[in-house]
Amino acid sequence: MGNPFPGMNPYLEQPELWHQVHNRLIVAIADDLTPQIAPKYRVSIEERVFKSVDDILTGGNC
């Protein structure tokens, strides 16, 4: 039987085997990306920015 989850590997999702993979991968990507985009942009981990339509229409800044 083929993979029942196209685009995903259930083996990598087993927390007892890969409990730190996602966190370490995110940090590694951020560390690699930062020198490429600084100083114009910055990389933030676990930060979410929400803009509403009202912000865009009124010229509000985040």
Side-chain angles (χ1 to χ4, degrees):
M1 179 173 158
N3 184 354
F5 308 104
M8 172 184 156
N9 185 343
Y11 177 76
L12 293 177
E13 299 297 322
Q14 293 178 0
E16 61 276 1
L17 297 175
W18 297 95
H19 65 279
Q20 293 185 7
V21 163
H22 293 109
N23 294 337
R24 290 178 180 262
L25 182 60
I26 290 168
V27 170
I29 291 170
D31 289 345
D32 189 58
L33 187 60
T34 297
Q36 298 177 50
I37 65 170
K40 187 174 181 180
Y41 300 103
R42 64 185 178 92
V43 176
S44 295
I45 296 172
E46 296 204 19
E47 179 178 325
R48 294 186 174 117
V49 176
F50 298 93
K51 277 187 97 70
S52 71
V53 173
D54 292 336
D55 289 339
I56 295 168
L57 295 175
T58 60
N61 293 324
C62 277

